[in-house]
DNA sequence: CGAGGGAAGTTACCACGAGTAAGAAAGTGC
DNA sequence: GCACTTTCTTACTCGTGGTAACTTCCCTCG
């Protein structure tokens, strides 16, 4: 819409099918373009801008990917895949230890920092009726995590029914921490990751201690 | 705009200053109307609808409260205040124990469930440039929690520098768990709260155990 | 007591973005 | 050669946030 300034100017091209056969613009090409636009212009990227970056027009985007929510979901898949890769590489086949938990968290935080605006686009609302879309997209991280937790708890002889709650809780914790780290340059991902690992570790491994220990906490 | 259907119908009132002195529409009246609209029509409530519910027009809303983001922030203040009240009442002056932690979490979850659409409105994007607004608004819960954590850790002789990370992390955990509970009717707030308390408790109270215990976890 | 100025709202508008309908050019089959 | 299909573009509708311009009332001052 921004290049349609002069009505008097003759159109560079009349509408119709392009000359050289099919426009070879696949779904992935559109999504690549979306990522470029978001990285360049920020998280409030319009479908028009994405289409322009891909060298096509809006209906192509709708045909190849879908609505804006679909674009966000597709990009969420990409981002969570990247986070999984980073996390796996950070763990490097080590067993599940406190320090590997910290590495896992740190890898997630750093991936978000590296894809700051993509993260904001993906977690950023679209208040439609699908404000629950954020959940749908979080589930891309939640589902494998819940599965891993469940397997591990089961093998360790611990109650596996906590897997879902914990997975949602941990993903939410990571998302909020990421948002915080993104927003405040003073926050150091390594330190934050270590502190969150400290918070989670003892609960994860099923440490027990006598209940009802009063510390005189006043919220 | 929805009641302006008939152009032929004479206006009920010409523009201008109202007859009976000042229109007694305070900021709180507007915010009350906003809550009613959101509760009735869902989280995707427009400023027009809010104004209509308050019996005024859009510019009044902008004068009394501000932009849409300001409305969301103001409503976030109200919601977080309500959550704090519910949590305090659930704790009832008990000390900080595992079961009181579970009560705290459960109170939060139930408050969100009771104000489902308000929660969705408040946490629901508005991708402007202030997608970080979600963080700003989360800080209404984070700040007091961080303060409490810091005081408590200090008095208990534990490292207080974890307070910020933990507060952001816990608020994120609560928000995501709330979203999940809202979306899936099968999730029981009491059970989820207990499970999350289980996850957090041992880390919060500073349980120590020999590091590097391998459980052969494979993410 | 009448005119001017400010206070307080309303109408009407703009900008902009999501999503879609209608139409035009290139290719395809008979 | 002509209808038909495919594939794309243009141009539109619709809803919403935000604002400008204008209208009316009241209060004060000469």
């Amino acid at each position: 819409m921004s290049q349609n300034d002069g009505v008097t100017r003759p159109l560079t091209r009349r509408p119709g099918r392009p000359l050289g056969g099919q426009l070879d613009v696949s779904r992935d090409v559109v999504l690549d373009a979306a990522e470029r636009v978001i990285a360049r212009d920020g998280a409030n990227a319009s479908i028009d801008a994405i289409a322009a970056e891909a060298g096509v027009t809006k209906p192509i985007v709708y045909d190849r990917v879908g609505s804006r929510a679909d674009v966000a979901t597709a990009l969420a898949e990409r981002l969570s895949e990247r986070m999984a890769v980073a996390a796996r590489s950070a763990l490097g086949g080590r067993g599940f230890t406190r320090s590997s938990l910290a590495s896992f968290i740190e890898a997630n935080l750093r991936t978000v920092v590296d894809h700051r605006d993509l993260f904001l686009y993906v977690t950023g609302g679209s208040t439609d009726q699908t404000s629950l879309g954020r959940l749908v997209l979080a589930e891309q991280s939640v589902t494998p995590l819940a599965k891993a937790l469940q397997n591990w708890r089961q093998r360790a002889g611990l109650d596996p029914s906590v897997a879902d709650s914990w997975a949602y809780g941990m993903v939410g914790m990571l998302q909020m921490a990421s948002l915080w780290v993104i927003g405040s340059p003073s926050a150091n991902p390594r330190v934050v990751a270590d502190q969150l690992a400290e918070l989670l570790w003892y609960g994860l491994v099923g440490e027990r201690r006598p209940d009802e220990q009063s510390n005189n906490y006043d919220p």
Side-chain angles (χ1 to χ4, degrees), chain A residues 1-12:
Chain A
M1 295 299 176
S2 53
Q3 68 245 31
N4 192 9
D5 36 51
V7 189
T8 51
R9 170 177 54 81
L11 299 173
T12 58

Side-chain angles (χ1 to χ4, degrees), chain A residues 125-169:
Chain A
S126 78
T127 327
D128 311 3
Q129 59 219 27
T130 53
S131 183
L132 297 179
R134 196 143 37 92
L135 194 153
V136 168
L137 124 199
E139 271 165 359
Q140 261 144 16
S141 306
V142 166
T143 306
L145 181 55
K147 228 162 203 160
L149 276 174
Q150 193 168 5
N151 280 341
W152 168 64
R153 297 277 296 180
Q154 207 141 30
R155 279 195 310 227
L158 299 164
D159 177 18
S161 76
V162 298
D164 281 346
S165 297
W166 288 14
Y168 278 103

